[in-house]
Amino acid sequence: MAEDRYAFVAGVLVRWGWLLDLMLRRPRRRVVRVFGERGAASVLDACCGSGTLSAYLAGRGMAVTGIDASPSMLALARTRAPGVAFTKADLTRLETEAAFDGAVIGFALHEMPDPLRQRVWAGMKRAVKPGG
């Protein structure tokens, strides 16, 4: 079984996530506003982490699906955004029909080598409806 390399981070965010949200509240609200202005009803939150952005999106009435590879982060996300569908998945292998009006990713691409980043982008593009 693979090690959950984000277990420690999830533990820290249980206690200090409010501080991270305080620092990121404005850009998160901007993301929500852009999706709202574009009429997005369904959003894929790729590499959703602790689920805070998912909660913001769901709070504006959007149907959100959060995907992450870390069981620890998903467990935390489920407590923060109970109305969101969270799934453990490897985004580089995401095989889905174009089901979402939009997709967002934050705090993940910088950790990936370029070939992996390209596969993540490709998976996100496949998940978004034409024009999304």
Side-chain angles (χ1 to χ4, degrees), residues 40-100:
S42 60
V43 177
L44 170 65
D45 187 358
C47 302
C48 64
S50 66
T52 306
L53 181 55
S54 295
Y56 276 75
L57 293 162
R60 295 288 188 203
M62 296 174 208
V64 181
T65 298
I67 296 177
D68 204 283
S70 166
S72 300
M73 292 299 258
L74 288 169
L76 178 55
R78 287 181 181 107
T79 68
R80 293 192 170 169
V84 172
F86 290 106
T87 303
K88 183 181 181 302
D90 178 349
L91 204 56
T92 64
R93 294 185 177 100
L94 185 64
E95 295 294 332
T96 183
E97 299 294 320
F100 299 96

